[in-house]
Amino acid sequence: MLRKTILISILLSFTAFAIAQDIDNIFKDRSEVYFTFDVNTDTDLQSLSRAISIDNVTPEMQVFAYANKKGFSEFMKRGISYTILQHPGTLHHPRMLDVAGVKNIDSWDFYPTYDAYVDMMYQFEADFPELCDVFSIGTTNEGRELLVARITDNVSQSEGEPEFLYTSTMHGDETTGYVLMLRYIDYLLNGYGTNARLTNLVDEIDIYINPLANPDGAYHGGNSSIYGAIRFNAMGVDLNRNYPDPEDGPHPDGNAWQTETVHFMNFAEEHNFVMSANLHGGTEVCNYPWDTWSTLAADNNWWVYVCREYADTVHANAPGGYMTGYNNGITNGYQWYSIAGGRQDYMNYFHQCREFTLEISDVKLIPASQLPAHWNYNYRSFLNYMEQCLFGVRGKITDSASGDAITAEVFVLNHESDSSWVYSSLPGGNYHRLLFESFYSIRYSKSGYYSQTFDNVIVHDREATVQDVELVKIMFDIDEPLAETFSIYPNPVSGNYLKLKANQSVGDITIYSMNGELCHKSNTGGTNTAFVDVSKLNAGTYIIKIVLDGKLVQQKMIRH
């Protein structure tokens, strides 16, 4: 028995040594590996995805994935047969243009160097100062800028228009959307005043476009070329697995929030985006919520409608076979394969922003000569999707006595779930509730005010139903000042986490049942924002309490 135990120990030690040698050889000259393996339906992809970054799962259950050295070591312990593939960022040397080369372009069949990209962005602002403002939301680990172009008719003002965001290439080797978004900026600006549809979109929407969300990954091989682009950021982390998740918590990938993640989270906090889209590559499909769980979104009919519109418009302008996989170009994220920590679910759940993931090219780094064709396939759909934020039910919510704009909840009765309701925003009190064509009952409410409900509100596809609301203040409501000092959402909460945000730093957070039993206690560490784990709470009504400025303040919270 002793000999058998010693033999097993020797074999295990030898196996571990062999794996370590293989890992060292594989990662001798690379920071991440791209590989494929086959699974059966019983394989725990959820568990695997905590170690590696799953990129695609085919109907035949072939998995394509990326991993850094640590993640691949964990994968190899599973004993699964795999094949290492050529990295998508090294398939060919793309045509690059430098700062001088992009000055007088007459076609969009190139990729810019990093310096040329920065120059192009700020040139948009210089050429159209009344329509375009270019700014950085932060700097990456390697010192590159996360640039955003804001486009609207009065760029120096806030007019209460719906805010819309396009962002691309958070996976650094998925570069088709990068150039298409640069061209989209150019198209909107140069078409303003001459193209009626473009003029209306710029007049009515506050548009934000971030062409490159992971510049360190895209220019991993150096600022002069995107050859050698990688999926992860400079720290070896998949940014699209790094966001707080409604089911798996604030750090579902086990990593700290990356520099890019923090900048984008702060950017989202500073705005009230009604809609957004996150452009990727590696397949061709419109991927709509949810990614993290099987439950369909409350607005699933609307999601299918807008994604169907996107794909059908593409089909009318692209050769046969483009964006025709899955359900003819669209898919529910979870039904494709589940991920945790994706930005799509983060924006939908924690910011009530309708974001979907748009995969626009089977090849991640397409030859530059194919970029104009992909633009022609997609630009009409870019417009259609962005235009959707003008439809549904919209209006202003004000105080009936003063006429001042207020923030209030807009809740569709017998419809909402999983943080699907929205809020009006300041300074104008505007709200935008995107809905599929039907009849709805909508409740408008705010702490300290009498709520109002409007029945039989009619919504037609691609039309706006305007419903302005005046809420009447409840006099002598002593609870109102306390309720305004912090917010929790979603409330009711059906996921495992809720977000708490206060107007100053928060210490202890406690949650009590209605009979006074302490059910939860945690500490934020002095921040003013926290993701609170409510997974162990039974369905019911609770009181959540925090201490602000030496005073105990509280709100009711409902757990579904």
Side-chain angles (χ1 to χ4, degrees):
M1 183 65 181
L2 179 60
R3 289 182 179 179
K4 186 175 181 180
T5 302
I6 293 173
L7 179 59
I8 291 173
S9 298
I10 292 173
L11 288 173
L12 289 174
S13 298
F14 179 78
T15 301
F17 176 74
I19 289 175
Q21 278 197 319
D22 286 344
I23 291 291
D24 289 340
N25 288 332
I26 290 170
F27 285 87
K28 181 172 58 177
D29 56 358
R30 69 184 88 188
S31 61
E32 67 181 35
V33 65
Y34 184 58
F35 62 107
T36 185
F37 56 95
D38 294 325
V39 297
N40 55 51
T41 55
D42 295 326
T43 300
D44 187 1
L45 288 178
Q46 287 273 33
S47 176
L48 279 174
S49 67
R50 292 185 176 91
I52 63 177
S53 176
I54 295 175
D55 180 50
N56 196 355
V57 181
T58 71
E60 297 76 29
M61 299 305 291
Q62 182 180 9
V63 180
F64 294 85
Y66 292 78
N68 57 24
K69 187 174 183 179
K70 178 182 177 182
F72 200 65
S73 298
E74 291 298 316
F75 171 80
M76 289 186 69
K77 293 176 183 178
R78 305 292 184 99
I80 300 173
S81 297
Y82 63 89
T83 301
I84 293 180
L85 305 172
Q86 183 175 357
H87 195 287
T90 63
L91 292 178
H92 63 91
H93 288 270
R95 179 183 181 229
M96 305 295 301
L97 289 185
D98 59 16
V99 173
V102 300
K103 290 297 184 183
N104 296 297
I105 57 173
D106 55 9
S107 62
W108 287 83
D109 57 348
F110 68 92
Y111 293 93
T113 65
Y114 174 72
D115 291 338
Y117 162 61
V118 174
D119 187 76
M120 290 175 72
M121 289 290 283
Y122 284 106
Q123 192 63 48
F124 289 136
E125 179 185 68
D127 291 344
F128 300 92
E130 295 182 356
L131 297 177
C132 182
D133 175 38
V134 172
F135 57 94
S136 173
I137 64 171
T139 305
T140 67
N141 290 288
E142 295 185 342
R144 298 183 179 94
E145 300 295 333
L146 298 171
L147 296 177
V148 175
R150 179 189 177 207
I151 301 172
T152 190
D153 59 333
N154 291 305
V155 77
S156 62
Q157 302 176 24
S158 176
E159 299 180 310
E161 297 165 346
E163 292 185 300
F164 179 94
L165 173 66
Y166 270 129
T167 178
S168 182
T169 314
M170 68 188 304
H171 289 150
D173 60 348
E174 298 170 6
T175 52
T176 304
Y178 171 28
V179 176
L180 265 56
M181 284 296 101
L182 282 169
R183 186 168 181 176
Y184 193 61
I185 295 170
D186 181 78
Y187 180 61
L188 291 172
L189 293 174
N190 280 291
Y192 185 80
T194 59
N195 181 304
R197 187 183 188 191
L198 299 185
T199 302
N200 181 67
L201 292 174
V202 173
D203 283 345
E204 299 298 326
I205 303 173
D206 205 349
I207 304 164
Y208 294 80
I209 302 174
N210 162 243
L212 185 56
N214 182 7
D216 287 356
Y219 291 97
H220 178 71
N223 284 349
S224 63
S225 179
I226 57 171
Y227 177 81
I230 60 173
R231 179 182 182 89
F232 300 155
N233 72 345
M235 307 303 291
V237 174
D238 186 337
L239 297 177
N240 204 33
R241 307 293 187 271
N242 191 235
Y243 281 85
D245 188 88
E247 183 174 47
D248 297 295
H251 300 287
D253 62 351
N255 294 303
W257 291 328
Q258 297 298 289
T259 298
E260 297 89 344
T261 306
V262 171
H263 289 321
F264 272 96
M265 288 171 64
N266 290 338
F267 182 49
E269 287 286 350
E270 293 164 1
H271 294 270
N272 295 283
F273 290 114
V274 175
M275 288 178 64
S276 60
N278 187 1
L279 276 67
H280 288 257
T283 189
E284 296 158 1
V285 70
C286 301
N287 176 104
Y288 56 89
W290 299 95
D291 284 334
T292 193
W293 52 42
S294 61
T295 304
L296 296 178
D299 294 311
N300 188 69
N301 286 343
W302 180 84
W303 274 119
V304 171
Y305 168 72
V306 296
C307 288
R308 185 77 276 142
E309 179 184 59
Y310 189 102
D312 289 349
T313 303
V314 163
H315 296 158
N317 295 281
Y322 181 79
M323 201 174 280
T324 56
Y326 308 89
N327 181 16
N328 199 25
I330 73 173
T331 186
N332 169 268
Y334 186 90
Q335 291 174 7
W336 180 14
Y337 66 94
S338 177
I339 69 168
R343 215 198 69 170
Q344 169 183 283
D345 285 4
Y346 167 76
M347 291 295 287
N348 277 276
Y349 190 83
F350 292 113
H351 287 281
Q352 294 78 45
C353 168
R354 298 329 187 234
E355 176 168 308
F356 84 121
T357 303
L358 175 58
E359 305 267 2
I360 57 173
S361 59
D362 281 340
V363 177
K364 292 171 181 278
L365 176 56
I366 64 173
S369 61
Q370 296 179 15
L371 289 168
H374 280 74
W375 165 260
N376 190 57
Y377 305 159
N378 285 279
Y379 81 88
R380 301 167 188 85
S381 294
F382 291 160
L383 297 173
N384 287 344
Y385 181 71
M386 188 169 73
E387 194 172 38
Q388 284 290 339
C389 70
L390 296 175
F391 307 137
V393 183
R394 58 187 302 191
K396 295 183 178 181
I397 306 177
T398 56
D399 181 294
S400 63
S402 67
D404 293 339
I406 57 176
T407 58
E409 180 184 85
V410 182
F411 193 96
V412 182
L413 300 179
N414 303 312
H415 177 82
E416 309 286 17
S417 66
D418 297 328
S419 193
S420 58
W421 53 95
V422 301
Y423 299 86
S424 59
S425 61
L426 298 178
N430 302 83
Y431 73 92
H432 307 269
R433 182 62 176 95
L434 308 175
L435 290 164
F436 186 64
E437 183 171 274
S438 189
F439 296 85
Y440 298 94
S441 293
I442 304 178
R443 183 187 68 212
Y444 300 83
S445 62
K446 177 180 174 62
S447 176
Y449 287 78
Y450 294 104
S451 63
Q452 282 196 54
T453 299
F454 293 82
D455 295 321
N456 297 316
V457 178
I458 302 173
V459 176
H460 294 293
D461 292 335
R462 298 196 66 80
E463 293 183 14
T465 299
V466 178
Q467 182 73 66
D468 293 331
V469 178
E470 294 182 346
L471 292 183
V472 178
K473 200 169 190 177
I474 301 172
M475 302 304 294
F476 309 113
D477 184 359
I478 60 174
D479 289 330
E480 181 196 354
L482 299 181
E484 291 297 303
T485 56
F486 75 101
S487 60
I488 52 174
Y489 50 93
N491 186 21
V493 57
S494 54
N496 290 339
Y497 289 82
L498 62 80
K499 184 178 181 180
L500 182 149
K501 185 178 180 182
N503 55 12
Q504 56 187 281
S505 61
V506 179
D508 287 339
I509 300 171
T510 53
I511 301 177
Y512 292 85
S513 68
M514 295 306 289
N515 62 12
E517 178 186 0
L518 177 63
C519 302
H520 171 92
K521 184 174 183 179
S522 59
N523 189 282
T524 68
T527 65
N528 67 341
T529 301
F531 294 89
V532 183
D533 185 352
V534 295
S535 60
K536 296 181 180 179
L537 301 184
N538 295 323
T541 302
Y542 296 84
I543 302 295
I544 183 167
K545 300 182 179 183
I546 64 174
V547 176
L548 292 176
D549 196 23
K551 296 179 180 178
L552 183 67
V553 293
Q554 63 186 41
Q555 285 192 45
K556 281 187 179 180
M557 181 201 81
I558 298 174
R559 169 75 164 142
H560 280 172

